[in-house]
Amino acid sequence: MTHKVAILGASGYTGAELVRLIATHPAMEIAALAANSKAGQSMGQVFPHLRYLALPDLVTIEEINFADIDLCFCALPHKTSQEVIKALPRDLRIVDLSADFRLRDPAAYQKWYGNVHAASELQKEAVYGLTEFYREEIISARLVAGTGCNSATGLYMLRPLIAAGAIDPDEIVLDLKCGVSGAGRSLKENLLHAELSEGYHAYSVGGTHRHLGEFDQELSAVAGRPVEIQFTPHLVPANRGILATGYVRGDARAVYDTLSAAYADEPFVVVLPMGETPSTRHVRGSNFCHIGVVADRRAGRTIVIGALDNLTKGSSGQALQNANLMLSLPETEGLLLAPVFP
Amino acid sequence: MTHKVAILGASGYTGAELVRLIATHPAMEIAALAANSKAGQSMGQVFPHLRYLALPDLVTIEEINFADIDLCFCALPHKTSQEVIKALPRDLRIVDLSADFRLRDPAAYQKWYGNVHAASELQKEAVYGLTEFYREEIISARLVAGTGCNSATGLYMLRPLIAAGAIDPDEIVLDLKCGVSGAGRSLKENLLHAELSEGYHAYSVGGTHRHLGEFDQELSAVAGRPVEIQFTPHLVPANRGILATGYVRGDARAVYDTLSAAYADEPFVVVLPMGETPSTRHVRGSNFCHIGVVADRRAGRTIVIGALDNLTKGSSGQALQNANLMLSLPETEGLLLAPVFP
Amino acid sequence: MTHKVAILGASGYTGAELVRLIATHPAMEIAALAANSKAGQSMGQVFPHLRYLALPDLVTIEEINFADIDLCFCALPHKTSQEVIKALPRDLRIVDLSADFRLRDPAAYQKWYGNVHAASELQKEAVYGLTEFYREEIISARLVAGTGCNSATGLYMLRPLIAAGAIDPDEIVLDLKCGVSGAGRSLKENLLHAELSEGYHAYSVGGTHRHLGEFDQELSAVAGRPVEIQFTPHLVPANRGILATGYVRGDARAVYDTLSAAYADEPFVVVLPMGETPSTRHVRGSNFCHIGVVADRRAGRTIVIGALDNLTKGSSGQALQNANLMLSLPETEGLLLAPVFP
Amino acid sequence: MTHKVAILGASGYTGAELVRLIATHPAMEIAALAANSKAGQSMGQVFPHLRYLALPDLVTIEEINFADIDLCFCALPHKTSQEVIKALPRDLRIVDLSADFRLRDPAAYQKWYGNVHAASELQKEAVYGLTEFYREEIISARLVAGTGCNSATGLYMLRPLIAAGAIDPDEIVLDLKCGVSGAGRSLKENLLHAELSEGYHAYSVGGTHRHLGEFDQELSAVAGRPVEIQFTPHLVPANRGILATGYVRGDARAVYDTLSAAYADEPFVVVLPMGETPSTRHVRGSNFCHIGVVADRRAGRTIVIGALDNLTKGSSGQALQNANLMLSLPETEGLLLAPVFP
């Protein structure tokens, strides 16, 4: 049986990545593609790499008959997403890729995003989409909130360690390096090739990046008390990829054993042999997350490094993984594409 | 039914690309991987992006029991390939990705490659692997010679035009730009990141590139008389991709109609709407070849531009397409992966 | 004696490049910097790499007292430039980096740029800024029109050959590859890093690129009859650099000797030894142009390849070279910076 | 007066960078260039971007008459350098760019480099080349040991803070991102463009990078007791640049004031306004080091970020700055080239 899906916000990178993945999914059919600013165009005009696919033309959201849709992906910008989802049928299953439903607490949302949430009643309903930790809730969820790509990377590294008490939750530094596609297809001077190529820099330094809202929420919940990590993202001249280097306090072997046990049965999260460290190039274009653990020269200090593709495991791949669960499909369906290297 | 395949030369980029593609192929199983210099290692050690796959460890060619193998991919270096294939069982179906069996004429081989062919009796048997033009021969072939990646790009653009008499075969300029993976994983100073990034240059200028042997052979055959094109390859700072710009004499509309007709039923070769031109980024990681046609401002002159991924359609994807035919599988099996963008 | 210069349009890449070059010029002082949209900001805010220099803050053009200025660089957008220059004092010496005064014929201007020229009386006065060929006129000029960066590259390769009758002017193909900074700091989707990195494509195919207006004007003038070349630019994923591959009809040795003689005494245009070809990486950040000549395998056909840095020799370096002449300074002053490699 | 200098190891990137910088130095002349493996070639053959300079051909070290040399730059590989320098005249002034004389303690040298030092008597004599902190010793030194490029970056950030007691020396995390030219022109698989482009990874994780020997030596000396930082370098796909993100314990304002005071009179080390952070692109090709300070959201924690060009301020620029001091020339002579952006 084929499930019909719609993608709202199909003209952005996460929309295109959803189409790329669903293109070889055996049990999903793209029944509608919406992008209000480009309605009327074909997907092949907006993304010529998808021109070979038989896809519906882009329409406005209003033109979609959601009665025909089994599941809807929302790849819309933040703030827009909450307004659109609020107006969608209340029985429509939705995977949202925006930041709008990641934070359950309206006050936390307002603190990090600066506005009062337009659909705060749905915030409570939404399930946080970090599949490996919310699997049961996602299976029965109506609305799943895709995680931040940085948050996903860091949470895969840190969540089991805090849950197990393997590290000191007050002494966590997470230094993250991400490729430029995470910023989307928006026209900003600092995203131009001439500005970015051959250079790199930190941004949102000092604990101001919005993904900290997710870290605070998730790590505090699992610790049972407030946890605030130090987090600095950096932009590097590459299109895809997140590499996060975590500096934690805890015994390296205990850290390694905790992570190995946590992901032993997971198809997509791979803990490398002790002492090996990951590279973004080895997960590019795939739904895998690689995690490595190394002991520091000073006892009691450990380095944990995680890598994933921000557009796949960090966003659209995660969304598809969650959609599979919501539609009672095998979780890995359509997601076992090999990484693309070189 | 699953067909068992072996890959000889699995530690190079085309070997890794074969594994990437076969990883989601429903009717092929990798039964043996050989790489003499890295025998004993796992594929995941040599190519960590493939570590999640259950693959046989690398062995020497001598260790493989070819009686169990339905088809063998040879991704070995030039010259090595002819010696290895000469020693393989004579009933083993082989797709060779090297240059060793592309030229049917031993004298032409010696001219372009500088040595006497070690298996000249097999040269005659080998079928040139440009699938769309040798499909029938490939179906019944025992030994298929994968084409040069540059040759494939240019031949898709030029062959139908010469066959149809739509252009002057004596006035063809082919200016080609390729990414660095075409040079393989070899340790050469000019392939270092610090040498290549942010710079570009021509090489093998003046008609000295070996792929001209294939152009001469194939275009002369279809023209029924000697054809020599002008051909200059350039190395650009990208990992994958070939973009070839052809300057031909002929009416643009006739050129366009000829190409459109030639590829109307082909699943992988796409002629873009008249006036549109391709980009390597829209075929990256896929088995598609895009071709565009534009009229020059001077009547009777036309620009034809082709783009493909050198590792996929230009090499390992083509090899898999040919293997599908040889094994009576659907030609597109395992090859409909979407391009990866961005 | 120090000459006071102003730069109008200082917030673009060519403006910043002018500042970079003048920073170590012993006889020039930057007395005013204008950028209407960023007036009030410091140059270090707009271009942090220049923050260490003691520079005047950005002002509007109207705020500059041109009576204090010895020479004015206009690095403004096309069309804006003609309007601004029209309103400047008639005795102010000006080097314009825009396209506005490159074409002497108002009809040609209108054909290529689509609008009636707003200062057509100045078109006649302006000297075409290809220093090596207009040196005498530039020395005494009031208004010098900087050339297109693509045009400069091609004209260095072709002009002496046509002047000497060494090649057939009707059979010239110029296939050009340029880095992205040539498109300026404008916010366009196709200039984003995520769009450009790892991909390349042709644009303005078929004889539609505006720089053809300059080729037509200059090559026809030197040939004494109409000359129309075939010209295709390509965008490659690099920030700086132009590499142009020319396919010409003429004896390779005669081509080589003609070019060698033409540039024997030039400080910046270097003809490489016969058979060697240039790379953009060897001229990056410098005012040099490298030219190589190779014979094709078919007699009577020759490949000429030129390389320069679009922002330096193709634009701001050329402008400074011309300014030196206009101010009776040594032509190479401030311009002998070594290329930056790697 | 012009000082004659020799460069040993001129065929590597730091050798080429020295030539680039000295090319516009008004008081230095390159009298000899040595590169044993390429002796007999011209510098233009080895580095075509330097072909326009009138330089002596490459010779073997043995061929140089050091009596004619005022100062010698050694840009040789580690271990080779100590053997060569041991054999040079004892009154020759030398700036060594290798790691061989950075560590004063023979035991520390052996611990980090694995071999007994071949010239341990010279270890004591050598002055650590971090100009801003060893200026007086360098002026009168015979042998100056250039610092590691990573060490220089980190020491600029940390040394004044530890000296002033502004941060806790036991709680320092230094997460560093560097471009590929730091690894030199050596033929290693992991330095190939196809391996590096579009990917990034950590290396020497866990406190094993040799530059830690310098951190330990210098920071312990200034603290008056052992200091061991946590340090993880990462390789990013860029040719030049180091960006180091430091996580320290101390009041942000105190950290800022300490650094501002330390570098108030320095020509090359620039402390950005409080809250601003640096980018490698703004120091590329220059001798500047930019440092930024930001308060973390958690009181008492501060982020310090430093950026420099590993080939210039991190190596050859530093070497020239030290040579200027040793030759009683103005310290900034030849080093005020503007950064190259874009």
Side-chain angles (χ1 to χ4, degrees), chain B residues 111-112 169-179 194-203 205-208 212-213 215-216 227-243 245 247-249 277-282 284 294-298 301-303 305 341-342, chain C residues 111-112 169-179 194-203 205-208 212-213 215-216 227-243 245 247-249 277-282 284 294-298 301-303 305 341-342:
Chain B
K111 171 185 166 193
W112 288 103
D170 291 328
E171 301 294 338
I172 298 172
V173 169
L174 192 67
D175 189 285
L176 187 140
K177 299 89 182 160
C178 65
E195 303 284 318
L196 270 177
S197 176
E198 290 288 309
Y200 33 108
H201 64 276
Y203 64 98
V205 183
T208 61
L212 275 171
F215 281 117
D216 291 357
V227 171
E228 288 194 334
I229 68 169
Q230 270 194 291
F231 170 62
T232 310
H234 300 73
L235 192 59
V236 297
N239 285 343
R240 288 169 175 257
I242 290 179
L243 186 82
T245 306
Y247 299 86
V248 297
R249 299 290 171 87
T277 54
S279 167
T280 58
R281 63 181 62 80
H282 297 140
R284 184 165 50 211
V294 184
D296 187 52
R297 58 173 177 166
R298 291 164 75 189
R301 292 165 194 257
T302 298
I303 297 100
I305 306 183
F341 172 84
Chain C
K111 171 186 164 193
W112 288 103
D170 290 329
E171 301 294 340
I172 298 171
V173 169
L174 192 66
D175 189 284
L176 187 141
K177 301 88 181 160
C178 65
E195 304 283 319
L196 271 177
S197 176
E198 291 289 308
Y200 33 107
H201 64 276
Y203 64 98
V205 183
T208 61
L212 275 171
F215 281 117
D216 290 358
V227 172
E228 288 195 335
I229 68 169
Q230 269 194 291
F231 171 62
T232 312
H234 300 74
L235 193 58
V236 297
N239 283 344
R240 287 169 176 254
I242 290 179
L243 186 82
T245 307
Y247 299 87
V248 297
R249 299 290 170 88
T277 53
S279 167
T280 59
R281 63 181 62 80
H282 297 141
R284 185 165 49 211
V294 183
D296 188 52
R297 59 173 176 165
R298 291 164 76 188
R301 291 165 194 258
T302 298
I303 297 100
I305 307 184
F341 172 85

Side-chain angles (χ1 to χ4, degrees), chain B residues 13-312:
Chain B
Y13 290 145
T14 54
E17 183 78 350
L18 279 167
V19 175
R20 177 176 83 90
L21 296 172
I22 296 172
T24 51
H25 193 294
M28 251 181 229
E29 177 197 333
I30 296 174
L33 292 170
N36 283 13
S37 67
K38 306 208 173 174
Q41 297 187 39
S42 72
M43 195 65 173
Q45 285 175 285
V46 177
F47 286 114
H49 68 293
L50 300 172
R51 65 190 315 150
Y52 74 103
L53 292 167
L55 293 170
D57 282 349
L58 294 171
V59 296
T60 63
I61 294 171
E62 293 71 27
E63 294 176 79
I64 298 178
N65 180 359
F66 287 100
D68 295 341
I69 301 298
D70 296 308
L71 186 139
C72 178
F73 295 99
C74 279
L76 295 162
H78 307 327
K79 260 176 150 175
T80 304
S81 198
Q82 58 193 254
E83 286 156 17
V84 166
I85 288 176
K86 190 178 184 174
L88 291 177
R90 283 297 154 112
D91 60 348
L92 180 66
R93 280 173 290 187
I94 298 170
V95 177
D96 183 35
L97 285 80
S98 84
D100 281 1
F101 297 97
R102 294 170 186 167
L103 301 184
R104 288 180 286 272
D105 176 5
Y109 176 83
Q110 191 168 350
K111 171 185 166 193
W112 288 103
Y113 291 90
N115 63 297
V116 177
H117 202 289
S120 56
E121 72 283 7
L122 295 180
Q123 280 184 283
K124 290 162 195 66
E125 178 189 352
V127 174
Y128 191 69
L130 199 69
T131 324
E132 289 75 5
F133 298 101
Y134 289 89
R135 194 171 268 126
E136 291 314 309
E137 294 92 325
I138 289 165
I139 287 172
S140 56
R142 186 188 77 84
L143 171 60
V144 169
T147 73
C149 52
N150 298 320
S151 320
T153 316
L155 291 173
Y156 283 131
M157 297 157 61
L158 299 173
R159 202 185 187 285
L161 300 178
I162 291 180
I167 60 172
D168 181 345
D170 291 328
E171 301 294 338
I172 298 172
V173 169
L174 192 67
D175 189 285
L176 187 140
K177 299 89 182 160
C178 65
V180 64
S181 64
R185 211 179 197 182
S186 48
L187 296 182
K188 294 180 188 158
E189 189 175 278
N190 67 346
L191 301 180
L192 294 175
H193 188 282
E195 303 284 318
L196 270 177
S197 176
E198 290 288 309
Y200 33 108
H201 64 276
Y203 64 98
S204 298
V205 183
T208 61
H209 195 284
R210 289 170 165 183
H211 288 181
L212 275 171
E214 295 172 61
F215 281 117
D216 291 357
Q217 169 181 285
E218 295 299 309
L219 297 180
S220 298
V222 76
R225 66 150 173 104
V227 171
E228 288 194 334
I229 68 169
Q230 270 194 291
F231 170 62
T232 310
H234 300 73
L235 192 59
V236 297
N239 285 343
R240 288 169 175 257
I242 290 179
L243 186 82
T245 306
Y247 299 86
V248 297
R249 299 290 171 87
D251 177 70
R253 173 53 59 182
V255 164
Y256 183 76
D257 290 344
T258 302
L259 289 170
S260 293
Y263 299 115
D265 297 326
E266 289 298 340
F268 294 121
V269 184
V270 180
V271 180
L272 307 183
M274 182 77 181
E276 283 189 33
T277 54
S279 167
T280 58
R281 63 181 62 80
H282 297 140
V283 294
R284 184 165 50 211
S286 83
N287 205 49
F288 294 101
C289 173
H290 286 183
I291 300 178
V293 177
V294 184
D296 187 52
R297 58 173 177 166
R298 291 164 75 189
R301 292 165 194 257
T302 298
I303 297 100
V304 183
I305 306 183
L308 53 71
D309 184 319
N310 57 300
L311 285 181
T312 321

